[in-house]
Amino acid sequence: VQLQASGGGSAQPGESLRLSCTTSGFTLDVHAIGWFRQAPGKEREKISWISISDDITECTDSVKDRFIISRDNAKNTVYLQMNNLKPEDTAAYYCATGPNNLKLGCAWWNFVGSWGQGTQVTVSS
C-alpha cells in the first residue's frame, strides 16, 4: 500500500492550494483516508479523515472552515482543498489510510495503517 501526496508548493497568505492523495497498487474507494501535517519542531497535527461513504471527521480547529477534505473515487483521489492559507499552515502534508469506522472519531488516527511521501506547503508573503 503506497500513498502519494502532491499539489503542495508556495502560496501567499489568503491564497488557496489543493492537495491530492493518490495510490499505487490499490483503489482508494475501499479505504478511509485522512490528512495530517507536520511542521519542523512541531508535533504531528491531524487534520481530518473521510470515510468510504464521504462522511467527514474533522480533528483540529486550526483549519476549521478553511480546509475541506473530499474524494473522487472515479479518479482514485482524495483531496484537501486549503483556502485562506496562513503562514502557520506551513508544513509537510501527508495522507494516510485507516479503518472505515465512524465511531472512532478522531481516535481514528491511533489506527492509521500507512502513509507515503508528503508534499510541502509553504505560506509566506
Side-chain angles (χ1 to χ4, degrees), residues 34-108:
W35 286 94
F36 69 93
R37 66 186 181 183
Q38 188 154 25
K42 294 187 177 180
E43 290 189 359
R44 185 175 299 172
E45 185 175 19
K46 302 140 188 177
I47 299 172
S48 59
W49 65 276
I50 186 167
S51 74
I52 63 174
S53 54
D54 288 349
D55 296 294
I56 295 169
T57 302
E58 298 177 335
C59 298
T60 180
D61 289 336
S62 65
V63 303
K64 188 175 177 63
D65 298 328
R66 298 191 298 122
F67 288 14
I68 304 167
I69 189 171
S70 65
R71 65 193 306 153
D72 185 337
N73 290 334
K75 295 183 178 180
N76 204 37
T77 303
V78 172
Y79 301 102
L80 185 67
Q81 178 67 42
M82 306 188 298
N83 300 319
N84 190 22
L85 284 163
K86 302 177 179 181
E88 51 264 41
D89 295 321
T90 295
Y93 285 72
Y94 301 84
C95 55
T97 64
N100 189 53
N101 185 348
L102 290 172
K103 292 182 180 179
L104 291 173
C106 292
W108 181 85

